[in-house]
Amino acid sequence: MKYNDREPIYLQIMNDIKYQIVLGNLKADERLLSIKEQSECMGVNPNTIARVYTELERERIVHKEKGLGTFVTSDENVITQLKHEIAEENIKRFVDRMRKIGISKTDMKALLVEYLNRTKKVDEQNEYREG
Amino acid sequence: MSVILKTNNLIKYYDEKKALDGISIEFEIGKIYGFLGPNGSGKTTFLRACAALIKKHEGEVLIDGLKPGEKTKAIVAYLPDYNYFFDWMKVKDALSFFDDFFEDFDREKSEKLLADMELEHEEKISKLSKGMLARMKLAIILGRKAKLYLLDEPFDGIDGVTREKIIKTMISTFSKESTIIVATHHITYVEKLLDSVKFLYKGKIIDEFDAEDIRRDKGMTINEYYLEEFRDAETD
């Protein structure tokens, strides 16, 4: 993982773990590396990793089991919620960038719909070919 | 949080020059600290005082509640920025030397680190290149299971690949019961390693903070913040 040294490291690692869960690379009930393993593997201070696990536990994304380790939640609702959070972030980024180049809300919507329709045809064609 | 190292108004003169100008700070157990400042700011003098290598100074140094001396040497692992081994020694003699002197020395661990860093036991220390010497000193010192590690410029003479190895070794050596103080001016190397940072300038502490706070509150890297603070200090 490549870090941005201008943002808190623990937030970057938290976001990465959330993303890995949504992508399915980290599965429900999967055990995370121990704090020591994770910090050595990433070259990051173990206190930072401890903070990541504590914060993720507070958000109910992982749970600790005494003597066994830290596990990814199996609660579908939490994972759906995570997916929405990540979608929201991406939408925000999209909207911010469109605003920056002077595109109105109405045009934004129109452009997005137009894009989806246009690529839909391509997607369908691809599906047809692959099928 | 309990404190492993504490100084009260520590002052050290070299002739007329004040190398340390009234330092009062604390270092907690279970943290990795960056002790950062330009060359000549007093980093080495401060570490030497804590390693019981400076007899005369004003003010107080307390390590685990004790004044620096034989007792504290047993729990403090000090990496000086020079070669302190005898010229006749081979790498294996340095291992034996540490084995004899320090009860907390884990010879097997040091041997593993030496192998990781591609150093041979039969190599003569006086014949080692600058980079090899730097690697050897670290492999030996990190073999100790000390309470307090004082590392003076551990990255001098070390290339990028070895640097990553060393940082990983520091992390694996570190535990909740220990404290690591890294004195360096190579700040970009230690951004992800540090819990807390203390800035030293002309023998004085000019700032102390948690690494993540600077990133969160200022949106800056520690190095950027360092450059800004020291530019201001120069013009004051």
Side-chain angles (χ1 to χ4, degrees):
Chain A
M1 190 181 160
K2 189 92 184 107
Y3 303 95
N4 173 358
D5 286 337
R6 291 194 183 87
E7 280 171 27
I9 310 285
Y10 82 96
L11 284 178
Q12 296 179 59
I13 300 174
M14 271 178 80
N15 287 336
D16 184 58
I17 291 178
K18 287 178 181 178
Y19 200 56
Q20 296 306 325
I21 292 173
V22 167
L23 286 175
N25 294 338
L26 281 171
K27 305 232 164 12
D29 289 325
E30 188 170 333
R31 192 179 76 91
L32 297 179
L33 291 178
S34 74
I35 290 172
K36 206 166 169 56
E37 288 164 343
Q38 189 81 269
S39 66
E40 279 175 43
C41 167
M42 293 177 133
V44 169
N45 186 313
N47 292 325
T48 308
I49 306 292
R51 185 168 182 185
V52 167
Y53 286 10
T54 307
E55 293 287 326
L56 287 174
E57 193 180 24
R58 228 168 37 85
E59 294 184 18
R60 298 168 161 277
I61 293 160
V62 302
H63 54 94
K64 283 180 193 158
E65 286 188 32
K66 235 182 166 173
L68 292 175
T70 304
F71 296 84
V72 176
T73 181
S74 54
D75 186 339
E76 284 294 331
N77 293 332
V78 174
I79 295 176
T80 308
Q81 168 84 23
L82 265 184
K83 211 172 273 188
H84 286 157
E85 261 175 40
I86 292 175
E88 170 100 16
E89 272 166 36
N90 281 302
I91 293 170
K92 187 180 177 303
R93 202 169 303 148
F94 167 78
V95 171
D96 287 349
R97 286 184 181 171
M98 293 298 257
R99 275 213 185 113
K100 214 173 246 175
I101 59 167
I103 289 175
S104 72
K105 273 187 188 170
T106 325
D107 285 349
M108 234 182 267
K109 265 188 236 167
L111 283 168
L112 186 60
V113 170
E114 192 267 331
Y115 176 84
L116 288 174
N117 284 336
R118 180 157 43 86
T119 51
K120 192 177 162 200
K121 278 175 202 150
V122 177
D123 287 344
E124 277 166 3
Q125 276 166 11
N126 284 342
E127 269 167 38
Y128 177 73
R129 275 193 209 120
E130 282 160 17
Chain B
M1 278 286 178
S2 38
V3 171
I4 182 73
L5 168 61
K6 180 188 166 89
T7 71
N8 281 319
N9 198 28
L10 180 61
I11 297 171
K12 173 67 188 172
Y13 282 95
Y14 284 120
D15 298 324
E16 294 295 293
K17 199 183 168 292
K18 238 182 192 176
L20 300 177
D21 191 3
I23 294 189
S24 303
I25 40 175
E26 289 185 351
F27 295 87
E28 290 168 358
I29 296 173
K31 283 193 176 185
I32 304 180
Y33 288 90
F35 197 55
L36 313 178
N39 284 329
S41 53
K43 300 191 294 290
T44 296
T45 308
F46 181 84
L47 294 188
R48 283 176 60 80
C50 300
L53 295 171
I54 289 177
K55 290 276 182 287
K56 276 173 132 184
H57 60 71
E58 290 170 39
E60 190 178 39
V61 180
L62 290 174
I63 294 161
D64 216 10
L66 301 166
K67 284 189 176 156
E70 288 313 309
K71 271 193 180 157
T72 65
K73 279 184 183 176
I75 58 165
V76 175
Y78 169 58
L79 176 85
D81 63 348
Y82 54 86
N83 175 22
Y84 56 98
F85 292 107
F86 296 112
D87 275 349
W88 56 265
M89 281 185 167
K90 290 180 175 174
V91 171
K92 63 174 183 188
D93 299 316
L95 279 171
S96 304
F97 181 77
F98 262 62
D99 218 359
D100 289 343
F101 265 85
F102 299 106
E103 275 201 27
D104 62 4
F105 187 62
D106 179 348
R107 187 173 182 135
E108 247 173 61
K109 185 182 174 193
S110 256
E111 285 179 355
K112 197 185 157 294
L113 293 178
L114 286 168
D116 280 353
M117 300 199 191
E118 289 157 25
L119 289 157
E120 302 288 340
H121 289 200
E122 292 299 328
E123 215 120 30
K124 237 185 146 187
I125 293 176
S126 58
K127 295 267 161 50
L128 296 177
S129 70
K130 196 177 173 225
M132 287 165 90
L133 179 65
R135 269 144 53 196
M136 191 216 66
K137 280 162 54 191
L138 269 160
I140 300 267
I141 207 81
L142 293 177
R144 286 189 58 192
K145 215 171 157 15
K147 276 192 169 177
L148 175 62
Y149 295 86
L150 307 171
L151 310 179
D152 197 357
E153 295 293 358
F155 303 106
D156 270 6
I158 280 179
D159 63 83
V161 179
T162 316
R163 196 163 68 227
E164 294 295 316
K165 267 189 201 167
I166 286 168
I167 287 180
K168 286 190 178 184
T169 309
M170 283 185 194
I171 289 171
S172 67
T173 306
F174 174 68
S175 74
K176 274 184 202 158
E177 292 79 39
S178 65
T179 303
I180 300 181
I181 301 176
V182 183
T184 186
H185 58 272
H186 295 296
I187 296 161
T188 50
Y189 301 168
V190 292
E191 297 266 357
K192 293 186 281 294
L193 182 70
L194 306 177
D195 285 293
S196 293
V197 173
K198 296 182 193 294
F199 282 165
L200 188 69
Y201 184 68
K202 291 189 176 166
K204 284 186 170 141
I205 296 293
I206 61 167
D207 205 351
E208 301 177 71
F209 54 86
D210 281 345
E212 295 279 55
D213 289 350
I214 284 299
R215 292 190 271 263
R216 190 194 57 217
D217 299 342
K218 308 257 178 196
M220 281 178 161
T221 69
I222 299 170
N223 193 48
E224 285 166 344
Y225 187 62
Y226 172 90
L227 292 173
E228 191 182 271
E229 284 237 324
F230 283 86
R231 200 169 38 228
D232 292 348
E234 293 274 350
T235 51
D236 275 350

